Amino acid sequence: MTALYLDYAATTPTDPQVRDAMLPFLGESFGNPSSVHRVGQTVRRALDVARDALAAAIGAQSGEICFTSGGTEANNLALLGVLMAAKEQGRNHLITTPAEHHAVLDTALFARELGFEVTLVPVDEYGMTHPEAIAEALTDKSALVSVMHANNEVGTINPIVEIAALAHTHGALFHTDAVQTLGALPIDVTALGVDLMSVSSHKIYGPKGVGALYIKSGVKCAPLFHGGSQERQKRPGTENVPGIVGFGKAVALLPEWRDEAAARLAPLRDSFIARFPLASLNGHPTQRLASNTNLSFIKPDGETMLLALDLWGICASSGSACSSGSIDPSHVLTAMGVPRERALGAVRFSLGRHTSAEELDRAAAIIERLVTSQL
């Protein structure tokens, strides 16, 4: 049975053009980009092209791009790097939310263990962060506010323009995790007002193991690692050349499909949601990514549903995590105040540029039969 893939928020297939762009750097173009000879400098030019592509795509300068191993490292570098640098100016306060990706949330909790002050601002029932809540948490000690552009589990889009402006009025910097939005929404770092922004390659049909952190010129961000001057002394170590080249190619391809995909997927998403009137929609009903549908079913529970769907060749995901034999509800849904039973019944269906109406019809028919115990 051919798999019906509805888990694009988790990862995307590598575009063939991206794969082709990477191949030379797995073979004849093998040089170290830090080498001064021609073999190394050929590779260095390829990195510069990729850096320029990402910078142009988000309205940044090339020197403001720091390549990392992915969105997780970019988030760690943003939070810990800024906190360590700001400590010298007497600012030791981080503000974020309990609905962030674990790459931000766990890093924030680690920062607390290191002695930094951390405030988790509550989100509303849709998973949205409101500027008023951020305003109440800001103090003259606040160094950084970090709020994700759009939630990876429920798809809710946050008002980060307003939140960034608030942070700046108190002398704090603003970071956003844009891993889910680079391939979904037009992004301009100046218009958004962000000082730091994390992105990832494998969410936009690029290779895994590579991402980037945008660091606005003039922003102080201490490195997490030491041992080299690569990436403007922000991230030492020989660069992942094939991955970065692939990321650059994936970014260059964005104009060919991103806007068209969003316009096509939004009505497909809405039609899919309408097929399940008894299910509860998690996340904002309108301010959400075109590709995201998070539904809670009364029965079966989310984990059982996922296993059953997999048997029928349908790939989806859940925010629940199995640990020590017990099922814990998604931390995002918990932060939203979703009741435990409903949270345990949640399943995320995330669409991609290749998703068709026929595929969604097939998936919906199987889900309907599972819900009514006809399978």
Side-chain angles (χ1 to χ4, degrees):
M1 181 183 297
T2 302
L4 198 171
Y5 190 73
L6 297 177
D7 200 17
Y8 285 88
T11 196
T12 59
T14 304
D15 188 291
Q17 295 181 72
V18 170
R19 185 174 62 244
D20 291 345
M22 295 171 64
L23 286 176
F25 300 92
L26 294 168
E28 64 271 18
S29 297
F30 61 87
N32 188 319
S34 295
S35 299
V36 297
H37 50 64
R38 69 183 66 185
V39 174
Q41 289 307 296
T42 296
V43 174
R44 169 58 58 187
R45 285 192 289 273
L47 290 189
D48 291 341
V49 169
R51 199 182 308 275
D52 291 346
L54 178 55
I58 63 174
Q61 301 173 30
S62 294
E64 297 173 319
I65 303 298
C66 174
F67 285 115
T68 66
S69 64
T72 294
E73 185 190 337
N75 285 333
N76 273 259
L77 177 57
L79 270 61
L80 297 177
V82 166
L83 286 174
M84 289 189 292
K87 191 175 181 180
E88 299 176 0
Q89 282 74 48
R91 290 181 176 266
N92 65 345
H93 182 213
L94 168 67
I95 300 172
T96 187
T97 86
E100 300 296 306
H101 190 281
H102 278 297
V104 166
L105 183 57
D106 290 357
T107 304
L109 298 180
F110 176 66
R112 179 180 286 168
E113 293 179 9
L114 294 178
F116 293 99
E117 182 182 350
V118 176
T119 301
L120 299 182
V121 170
V123 297
D124 68 12
E125 67 271 28
Y126 302 121
M128 183 175 286
T129 305
H130 290 276
E132 296 81 5
I134 298 292
E136 291 181 9
L138 282 163
T139 74
D140 59 0
K141 298 292 186 180
S142 299
L144 181 68
V145 177
S146 180
V147 176
M148 65 198 322
H149 196 183
N151 189 273
N152 57 300
E153 289 193 24
V154 298
T156 297
I157 302 171
N158 281 307
I160 64 171
V161 173
E162 292 84 355
I163 295 173
L166 271 174
H168 293 154
T169 62
H170 285 73
L173 298 173
F174 181 77
H175 163 258
T176 191
D177 175 346
V179 167
Q180 290 293 329
T181 53
L182 180 61
L185 302 171
I187 290 179
D188 183 284
V189 292
T190 301
L192 293 175
V194 301
D195 301 294
L196 304 102
M197 184 177 74
S198 304
V199 292
S200 180
S201 165
H202 75 107
K203 308 294 187 179
I204 62 166
Y205 307 88
K208 297 172 180 61
V210 60
L213 178 65
Y214 158 74
I215 307 173
K216 185 178 179 180
S217 180
V219 167
K220 294 183 178 180
C221 181
L224 300 185
F225 312 129
H226 303 275
S229 59
Q230 292 89 347
E231 297 304 303
R232 277 68 176 179
Q233 299 183 335
K234 293 294 191 295
R235 204 267 186 178
T238 302
E239 295 90 343
N240 171 11
V241 176
I244 292 172
V245 168
F247 190 10
K249 182 63 175 180
V251 167
L253 293 173
L254 279 175
E256 297 183 9
W257 61 266
R258 182 176 60 191
D259 293 347
E260 181 276 331
R264 184 178 65 84
L265 291 177
L268 291 183
R269 173 205 62 194
D270 294 341
S271 296
F272 185 74
I273 293 171
R275 293 284 294 266
F276 310 105
L278 297 181
S280 300
L281 177 67
N282 299 311
H284 200 282
T286 57
Q287 298 301 310
R288 66 186 303 119
L289 296 177
S291 56
N292 182 287
T293 300
N294 189 304
L295 296 170
S296 286
F297 298 91
I298 299 175
K299 62 175 186 179
D301 63 78
E303 294 296 320
T304 302
M305 173 75 82
L306 288 177
L307 292 172
L309 289 174
D310 188 48
L311 290 174
W312 284 88
I314 299 174
C315 303
S317 69
S318 168
S320 302
C322 183
S323 176
S324 302
S326 63
I327 300 296
D328 294 323
S330 155
H331 74 282
V332 173
L333 298 182
T334 299
M336 291 163 55
V338 174
R340 179 180 175 84
E341 182 179 7
R342 176 178 150 191
L344 290 174
V347 179
R348 181 188 68 184
F349 303 94
S350 49
L351 319 182
R353 54 191 270 206
H354 305 299
T355 305
S356 68
E358 292 74 21
E359 287 178 321
L360 288 179
D361 284 341
R362 173 185 150 198
I366 292 173
I367 295 166
E368 287 169 342
R369 295 179 66 185
L370 286 172
V371 170
T372 56
S373 301
Q374 295 180 24
L375 285 178

